[in-house]
Amino acid sequence: MPDAALSVEGEVDVVAAQRRTVRTLAAGQVLTGVAFGSTLSLGALLAKDLSGQDALSGFATAAVTLGAALTAIPLARLAGVRGRRFALTTGNVAALVGITLVVTAAAVRSFPLLLVGIALIGAGNAGTLQSRFAATDLAEPGRRGRDLSVVVWSTTVGGVVGPLLLAPGELVGAGVGMPPLTGAYLFSFAAQAVAFALYALTLRPDPLLLAQRLALRPSAGSVPVAETDRPLLARYAMFAVAASHVTMAAVMAMTPVHLSHVVAPDALTLAVGVTIAVHVFGMYGLSPVFGILADRIGRIAVVLLGQVLLAASLGTAAAFADSQVGVLVALLLLGLGWSAATVAGSALLTEATPLAGRPRRQGRSDTLMTASAAAGSVLAGVILGAVGYDGLALWALVPVAAVCGGALLVRMTLRAD
């Protein structure tokens, strides 16, 4: 089916196309949220189980973020040439292969194969991350933050449900003879398959290809295009998103391992599922609020609000490391801080970049974000083993301080110009 906007005499209804795009992306985020929601928590536990070492549990998050980092730029280039639909469905296929390898690795007790499978799931997540940018391709300038945040918010449903499927997944998996800690991947596989079909069939017209065509035909419609390149703001946006993601990923990845020392073994799966579900709700549940704030009070202001929330989270984690409730509150705040910084930073990156250069910069941003988080996750495992969960929380304040300092430098530079 060719990509063409529904129109009369060649005139494109951009508003209607944007509405369809946001609805499709939102539905896809629900599905991929279910698929990805259990990956990190299960991955850390599987890595600990197969390797026999707590310190190596961080390699699960490192693998998923490295997989996303290695594929973010190629997927962005695919989007630029073939459109968002092709890039998103390619990510779905990678995730389906990855889930299959993870279950196989658990069955044959292979730690290296586990990491390969998780890395491919990360490649799928790279496509999911680009959904937020797809929501801005046809958006009006005053609604970029809001439209982006609606797509991010949609992950709440799947992201909260996914971790809560850990315990039911174990029952289903045991019933069909799957290896321990892999039952929930049945739900992940089904959700990714449905997401693939959704994007392939309904993401029409392709928002990026349509925006590119309309940019060449101004009379055919109105497409919000940032004509002025502002590389300083774009670089800060990429740094703020990456640093906030490192902070979130490092602490979140080590939380299931930390809880295994705090919670009774027979209650561990439920405790991890609830904690990660609350964290994921924090990541996505209030994203529309942060999107509206970013449109109204400014992108950098909301990025800084995110750093305040991250700092509050880390302080709570350090002070109440031995309390399950304290860890739960810390993970909620951690998700909220990530949400504010990611929504505002992504909107800032989009509006600071001309249309032709957006896929390339967006891919670089996601690569920087995920590669940094991969390194941070490995380091987090080492720090956890050396100074404990409270010490890890204090170390995670370093990127928070760097983002705040960067905002000050950017504002001083812009004033000087």
Side-chain angles (χ1 to χ4, degrees):
M1 183 184 299
D3 270 332
L6 299 176
S7 60
V8 178
E9 297 181 355
E11 292 300 313
V12 179
D13 188 343
V14 179
V15 174
Q18 173 65 357
R19 287 174 182 165
R20 287 194 299 274
T21 294
V22 172
R23 285 198 298 266
T24 298
L25 293 172
Q29 288 292 90
V30 171
L31 292 166
T32 54
V34 170
F36 194 70
S38 60
T39 296
L40 292 181
S41 51
L42 278 179
L45 295 174
L46 280 169
K48 176 187 174 183
D49 178 49
L50 296 183
S51 68
Q53 300 181 49
D54 282 4
L56 295 183
S57 60
F59 277 72
T61 300
V64 77
T65 51
L66 183 61
L70 292 175
T71 54
I73 290 178
L75 286 175
R77 288 176 176 172
L78 280 177
V81 176
R82 301 286 300 275
R84 299 289 187 186
R85 183 175 65 253
F86 189 82
L88 291 174
T89 52
T90 299
N92 293 140
V93 171
L96 288 169
V97 174
I99 291 169
T100 303
L101 290 181
V102 166
V103 176
T104 302
V108 301
R109 305 292 299 174
S110 173
F111 182 63
L113 184 61
L114 173 72
L115 297 183
V116 172
I118 291 177
L120 284 172
I121 293 174
N125 192 46
T128 299
L129 287 172
Q130 291 184 14
S131 294
R132 72 190 194 279
F133 292 124
T136 68
D137 290 332
L138 296 170
E140 293 292 334
R143 290 186 58 91
R144 279 200 190 105
R146 186 175 305 181
D147 286 355
L148 184 152
S149 67
V150 166
V151 173
V152 173
W153 173 85
S154 301
T155 311
T156 306
V157 179
V160 171
V161 170
L164 293 178
L165 292 176
L166 293 183
E170 280 302 286
L171 294 175
V172 174
V176 297
M178 293 182 67
L181 298 175
T182 63
Y185 283 108
L186 283 174
F187 303 123
S188 297
F189 190 93
Q192 285 285 1
V194 176
F196 173 88
L198 175 72
Y199 291 140
L201 297 174
T202 64
L203 193 59
R204 301 172 184 275
D206 188 284
L208 182 56
L209 296 182
L210 177 58
Q212 291 171 343
R213 288 199 299 270
L214 292 176
L216 298 175
R217 298 169 52 226
S219 61
S222 175
V223 178
V225 180
E227 298 294 346
T228 303
D229 189 13
R230 292 173 283 177
L232 176 63
L233 286 175
R235 286 195 294 270
Y236 175 73
M238 287 189 280
F239 171 71
V241 170
S244 300
H245 193 67
V246 167
T247 301
M248 184 276 293
V251 176
M252 186 270 293
M254 293 299 102
T255 297
V257 177
H258 172 65
L259 287 175
S260 70
H261 300 294
V262 175
V263 180
D266 58 350
L268 178 60
T269 302
L270 178 60
V272 170
V274 171
T275 300
I276 298 301
V278 169
H279 169 66
V280 172
F281 174 79
M283 291 175 66
Y284 305 116
L286 296 185
S287 56
V289 174
F290 296 128
I292 293 171
L293 285 175
D295 286 338
R296 291 185 178 179
I297 68 174
R299 318 304 191 196
I300 293 180
V302 177
V303 167
L304 292 177
L305 171 61
Q307 305 315 300
V308 171
L309 291 168
L310 288 174
S313 164
L314 298 173
T316 302
F320 302 100
D322 294 330
S323 166
Q324 185 180 348
V325 174
V327 171
L328 191 72
V329 172
L331 267 288
L332 173 62
L333 292 170
L334 189 73
L336 290 171
W338 177 89
S339 180
T342 301
V343 168
S346 298
L348 178 62
L349 175 62
T350 297
E351 69 182 16
T353 307
L355 178 62
R358 284 180 193 166
R360 182 176 64 254
R361 273 193 186 159
Q362 290 163 353
R364 289 176 180 173
S365 176
D366 283 349
T367 295
L368 175 63
M369 176 179 72
T370 51
S372 300
S377 297
V378 173
L379 182 61
V382 176
I383 294 174
L384 179 71
V387 296
Y389 193 71
D390 51 348
L392 172 64
L394 295 177
W395 272 104
L397 286 168
V398 173
V400 172
V403 173
C404 294
L408 180 61
L409 290 175
V410 166
R411 286 181 168 173
M412 289 175 61
T413 302
L414 292 177
R415 287 173 183 171
D417 292 341

